[in-house]
Amino acid sequence: MKPYAEMTREELASLKEQLIIQYKEYQGKGLSLNMARGKPCIEQLDLSMGMMDSLSSDADMTCEDGTDCRNYGVLDGIREAKELIGDMMENPIDNIIIYGNSSLNVMYDTISRSMTHGVMGNTPWCKLDKVKFLCPVPGYDRHFAITEYFGIEMINVPMTPTGPDMDMVEELVSSDEAIKGIWCVPKYSNPQGISYSDETVRRFARLKPAAKDFRIYWDNAYGVHHLYDHDQDHLIEILAECKRAGNPDLVYKFASTSKISFPGSGIAALATSQNNLEDIKKQLQIQTIGHDKVNQLRHVRFFKDIHGMVEHMRKHADILRPKFETVIQILDEELGGLGIGEWTRPKGGYFISFDSMDGCAKRIVAACKKAGVVMTGAGATYPYGKDPHDSNIRIAPTYPSIEDLRTAMHIFVLCVKLASIDKLLEEA
Amino acid sequence: MKPYAEMTREELASLKEQLIIQYKEYQGKGLSLNMARGKPCIEQLDLSMGMMDSLSSDADMTCEDGTDCRNYGVLDGIREAKELIGDMMENPIDNIIIYGNSSLNVMYDTISRSMTHGVMGNTPWCKLDKVKFLCPVPGYDRHFAITEYFGIEMINVPMTPTGPDMDMVEELVSSDEAIKGIWCVPKYSNPQGISYSDETVRRFARLKPAAKDFRIYWDNAYGVHHLYDHDQDHLIEILAECKRAGNPDLVYKFASTSKISFPGSGIAALATSQNNLEDIKKQLQIQTIGHDKVNQLRHVRFFKDIHGMVEHMRKHADILRPKFETVIQILDEELGGLGIGEWTRPKGGYFISFDSMDGCAKRIVAACKKAGVVMTGAGATYPYGKDPHDSNIRIAPTYPSIEDLRTAMHIFVLCVKLASIDKLLEEA
């Protein structure tokens, strides 16, 4: 098949007729498939069911330091959980706070605290006329929802294959005091699966922000979520790099076990400098007496240590790898060489990113929906839901079975083709 | 023994000499006893260990409505948890949100949201010159810490045996638009163990606040925490009473299972009107995808229903009743008729409140500490830690063994006597 752009109007029209027949066939099947959210599948959830037995009614509920996990106390997490999560995040336990079940909640609270009380003695953001955040795009919709909710102006920064456009980041951060943060998913990014290059991480650590209270919001959601045992992306650890660069307080790093143990019933954590930790704990001790230590202990008893967690993640990979490969194979086979779309080939994480021709994403997603396939909404990967090119679509291959995934992807490529033909016919 | 006030200087001085000998004896023992915080004791924690088996590795993790509890989703809690907690709180499930492990965190977030986004469309509090809260005193230090942290001015309202001074509450709330809330622990209050009378609850429901965004912060922390099976305090349910009074949106009601299952590993909840719930969910959906549903299911499977929970609370009562009775007995025997202190006789909750002669609380607590008995800090039961009479001391009898409690209380009454004599000698 030749590139669509090289086809005549007649060729396109004739192709469209054939494709519509296929599309209508799928429509007739009354399918209900969902590739919208990055949800683990049932087989993945089953991997952690052993955790339900790791604390039984006759279990010793005492921490290594003698603390009874069942009672009040321990604001920042039990030591053994800090050690496990510290190894996972590649940070010393002294830099870690263990939270509740949701890293999103930790990020929200971080912004909320900055609004009402400011960052390390600086003016609370609610007292400022304008607060801005940089948003590498495409990115994670729930990040953007937090900053939008707090009335923070979001500035798009294009992603490149090595991370955000660092020329633009450096220029903006060093010149505008209203810019207080940047949202980053540095490893197997959402939605592209891009991991920041060494140079990108180094440039982040060396930023010279105009605002003293500028922080990098480093959401390392997929730090240990590899698809392959050897072919893994590796990131320079940002806290250590910031410390080396003389910018120890520059970063808040977030992570959780949501996609390791159970979404909603895992443990979340923050890693940051001593100064930031002190600042945060002043607030945290007002907010709570402590998070769920029993669940922290449950995780530690189940995984035992970081090697146990890594072995556990290999089982996740064995389930997810064929799903990612199925999606990419169908995209390659069906759309390769047609010049109507581009897609990423992540080595980990939860998403594949697809870019259609400009102005086609919304119709593709709408057409998918009419054929029973729910995709993440077009535009969701951009601040305010506005994709200026209307081209980016996030594909979440983890939840459906491979069979459903195959069907859904065949419908998806069909919708891509149809939308592209319509676009070309309109333009011609 | 006659009242101290009727003793001569000589009698007081001679008594002091005897008491100091006793005090020094205790000091020599190198004791380390703690009656500072309302912590369940180990025997109480053991009561809930069966919960560790209520979800095992072969458990069905599906909710009644088919939701897989292990995966993402369900912002406001699973239906069966709402039913259990609804029965506990005496509210319909449609008025309930199930949260994470800490009702304190829910209260903090409620204030924080009001600061940044306001209440039901009203001006965010951070945009106002002045925000004030009414604080019935003595009260719960962690409530006061939240309002202090957000720079909210706290106004003391004296507690009476039937609840806060409602004449003062009505007068202030109806005349000052800056007053946005009042902290209440309506049942077995912290620290006095007072339950609000029917009239008090009715007057709360009929308040006519000057501020549209005034809310009653109804922390029903001890709703099912009775000491006696029949001799229980019963409260008019506030949401229903507000609805009847034509003030459906007037109250946020908080509760948790922290002192039913495990402190730090229980489930917390909020009950309020539909309008308030809608307002809150707008924020909650930005903050998190959902709370720990596995822990919600674990609680439901363990308690089964409200009757199961009530039976469970009888076991707590059997452990706590003798502790409360021990404290009160020693106070009665040692201080009765001396005119140097008053104490409450709660039928539930976690505390007994002691009022010394004015100006004695700090020295009593300090003297206790020197003899190895840690009490809640004097002043802690007042906003800003400032007890204007320096007289209130919170006694938390739940954690120590009865033997330790007896020793600690003997030291306590000794310190009360000594401080009172010193005070009387100074004044004479």
Side-chain angles (χ1 to χ4, degrees), chain A residues 23-70:
Chain A
Y23 179 76
K24 287 197 169 158
E25 247 174 62
Y26 278 119
Q27 260 193 319
K29 291 186 183 179
L31 297 169
S32 174
L33 304 169
N34 195 312
M35 293 201 296
R37 303 301 314 180
K39 284 172 71 167
C41 63
I42 291 165
E43 294 73 21
Q44 287 179 273
L45 301 175
D46 286 343
L47 294 176
S48 298
M49 282 304 286
M51 190 180 285
M52 295 292 139
D53 297 336
S54 67
L55 292 179
S56 59
S57 58
D58 56 357
D60 178 4
M61 303 294 284
T62 315
C63 295
E64 287 164 14
D65 70 358
T67 302
D68 189 334
C69 267
R70 303 169 301 176

Side-chain angles (χ1 to χ4, degrees), chain A residues 53 57 70 117 149 265 292, chain B residues 46 53 57 117 149 265 292:
Chain A
D53 297 336
S57 58
R70 303 169 301 176
H117 289 80
Y149 179 72
S265 304
D292 186 342
Chain B
D46 287 343
D53 296 335
S57 59
H117 288 79
Y149 179 72
S265 303
D292 187 341

Side-chain angles (χ1 to χ4, degrees), chain A residues 3 61 76 85 95 105 166 184-185 226 233 240 247 268 314 323 386 400 408:
Chain A
M61 303 294 284
D76 55 0
I85 301 300
N95 291 106
N105 198 328
M166 290 308 293
C184 295
V185 183
H226 309 286
D233 290 348
N247 277 329
R314 287 161 64 118
K323 296 191 177 187
K386 286 181 193 163

Side-chain angles (χ1 to χ4, degrees), chain B residues 1-19 421 424-425:
Chain B
M1 191 77 76
K2 62 180 170 185
Y4 279 21
E6 297 174 12
M7 289 188 186
T8 62
R9 284 188 68 88
E10 290 65 34
E11 283 173 319
L12 287 172
S14 146
L15 180 57
K16 182 177 172 179
E17 270 180 45
Q18 296 166 37
L19 294 171
I421 291 172
L424 289 164
L425 289 174

